[in-house]
């Protein structure tokens, strides 16, 4: 009897391990939708996760892409853009104008506040004194798009998004789906790394991102400064890859066009010229 129980136990363990590997493989083959589970893994244009040049090189769509010597023949030239204090660029009136498009039936209506946005941006040293208007236009555009025009604070397609990690192990019963204004930020390792940087228990309490508007903006700003800002010199289109690779495939042309239009319109409102690299 004990031998039979041991056999059943071993079979169950084997099944669970196999299922975990299969689940990880499925996620890896659809990383443009789900993102890659590891902090060091990149998502390629073919939908696979990895750390080699095939994934992190020229055709990298998201993750810690290798941008060394990459160029499209133009330069975002961040320092040439008009600059100023964040609170003078994104005024309460401008923020109200942006939020006026949030429908009354939106779950996150009233959640995202001007005070929370300014506090979150200024908590990062890079933006404490002076910010570039063109970058702020890109940030607000992606934040709006990532939350469906600030209508949602949680991804409607919820999932556990737990990957094996010694450094950032999943907490029992917790789910690490997208929350806040950039809902493409998923997986336990991202919550763990962001929590460590922000000094917040996001791994133990990921729902904090959906409870506090300031934390929501800080979470998104952490991802922006770490994974998106290094690609600014390549233009707005490249930032779209870093935020959401699906914006750069051939299956969502209308979505991509709307994103670019929103960015151009916001640049116009801020009185700056959009960069040359608008498209992926």
């Amino acid at each position: 009897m004990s031998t039979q129980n041991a056999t059943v136990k071993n079979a169950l363990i084997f099944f669970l391990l196999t299922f975990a590997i299969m689940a990880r493989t499925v996620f890896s083959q659809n990383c443009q939708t789900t993102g890659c589970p590891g902090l060091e893994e990149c998502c390629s244009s073919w939908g696979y996760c990895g750390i080699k040049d095939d994934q992190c090189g020229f055709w990298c769509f998201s993750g810690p892409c290798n941008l060394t010597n990459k160029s499209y023949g133009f330069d975002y030239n961040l320092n040439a853009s008009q600059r100023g204090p964040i609170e003078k660029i994104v005024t309460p009136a401008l923020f109200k104008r942006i939020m006026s498009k949030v429908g009354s039936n939106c779950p996150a209506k009233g959640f995202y506040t001007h005070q929370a946005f300014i506090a979150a941006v200024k908590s990062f040293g890079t933006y404490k004194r002076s910010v570039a208007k063109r970058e702020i236009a890109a940030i607000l555009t992606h934040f709006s798009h990532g939350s469906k025009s600030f209508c949602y604070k949680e991804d409607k397609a919820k999932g556990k998004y737990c990957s094996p990690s010694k450094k950032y192990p999943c907490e029992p019963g917790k789910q690490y789906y997208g929350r806040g204004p950039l809902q493409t930020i998923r997986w336990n390792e991202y919550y763990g790394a962001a929590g460590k940087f922000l000094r917040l228990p996001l791994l133990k309490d990921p729902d904090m991102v959906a409870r506090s508007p300031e934390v929501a903006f800080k979470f998104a700003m952490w991802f922006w400064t770490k994974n998106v800002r290094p690609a600014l010199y390549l233009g707005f289109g490249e930032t779209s890859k870093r935020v959401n690779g699906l914006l750069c495939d051939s299956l969502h042309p209308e979505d991509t066009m709307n994103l670019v239009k929103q960015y151009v319109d916001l640049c116009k409102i801020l009185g700056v010229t959009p960069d040359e690299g608008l498209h992926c």
Side-chain angles (χ1 to χ4, degrees), residues 126-144:
T126 306
Y127 308 98
K128 211 163 219 177
R129 295 186 177 181
S130 177
V131 296
K133 287 185 176 182
R134 202 157 57 182
E135 182 181 0
I136 294 302
I139 288 174
L140 284 172
T141 298
H142 282 299
F143 282 11
S144 174

Side-chain angles (χ1 to χ4, degrees), residues 23-202:
R24 184 181 176 88
T25 301
V26 170
F27 274 125
S28 296
Q29 292 177 357
N30 295 278
C31 60
Q32 291 180 19
T33 302
T34 64
C36 293
L39 291 170
E40 297 180 357
E41 293 186 62
C42 302
C43 177
S44 74
S45 58
W46 298 279
Y48 288 88
C49 293
I51 59 174
K52 297 181 179 179
D53 192 56
D54 287 346
Q55 294 83 32
C56 296
F58 187 85
W59 298 108
C60 179
F61 261 41
S62 63
C65 303
N66 178 15
L67 300 174
T68 306
N69 298 323
K70 186 173 181 179
S71 175
Y72 295 132
F74 49 78
D75 194 332
Y76 193 98
N77 198 2
L78 181 62
N79 293 324
S81 176
Q82 296 179 33
R83 304 178 67 87
I86 181 63
E87 60 269 28
K88 290 189 177 181
I89 293 175
V90 184
T91 62
L94 174 58
F95 197 83
K96 184 178 181 180
R97 179 176 177 178
I98 293 171
M99 292 298 165
S100 66
K101 299 179 181 179
V102 182
S104 58
N105 61 335
C106 285
K109 185 173 179 62
F111 175 73
Y112 299 105
T113 66
H114 178 258
Q115 182 180 0
F117 176 74
I118 298 298
V121 173
K122 293 185 74 172
S123 69
F124 290 80
T126 306
Y127 308 98
K128 211 163 219 177
R129 295 186 177 181
S130 177
V131 296
K133 287 185 176 182
R134 202 157 57 182
E135 182 181 0
I136 294 302
I139 288 174
L140 284 172
T141 298
H142 282 299
F143 282 11
S144 174
H145 187 273
S147 57
K148 302 292 189 292
S149 297
F150 295 105
C151 187
Y152 296 93
K153 57 182 179 178
E154 295 181 298
D155 191 347
K156 291 189 292 183
K158 294 179 173 61
K160 193 171 183 181
Y161 289 98
C162 173
S163 63
S165 174
K166 291 182 179 180
K167 191 173 184 180
Y168 300 116
C170 301
E171 289 287 323
K174 299 300 180 181
Q175 294 182 310
Y176 301 97
Y177 54 82
R179 297 172 176 86
L182 280 186
Q183 291 171 18
T184 50
I185 313 174
R186 306 181 181 99
W187 299 97
N188 50 303
E189 289 204 349
Y190 280 94
Y191 275 85
K196 182 179 180 181
F197 179 88
L198 299 171
R199 298 182 180 179
L200 294 170
L202 298 185

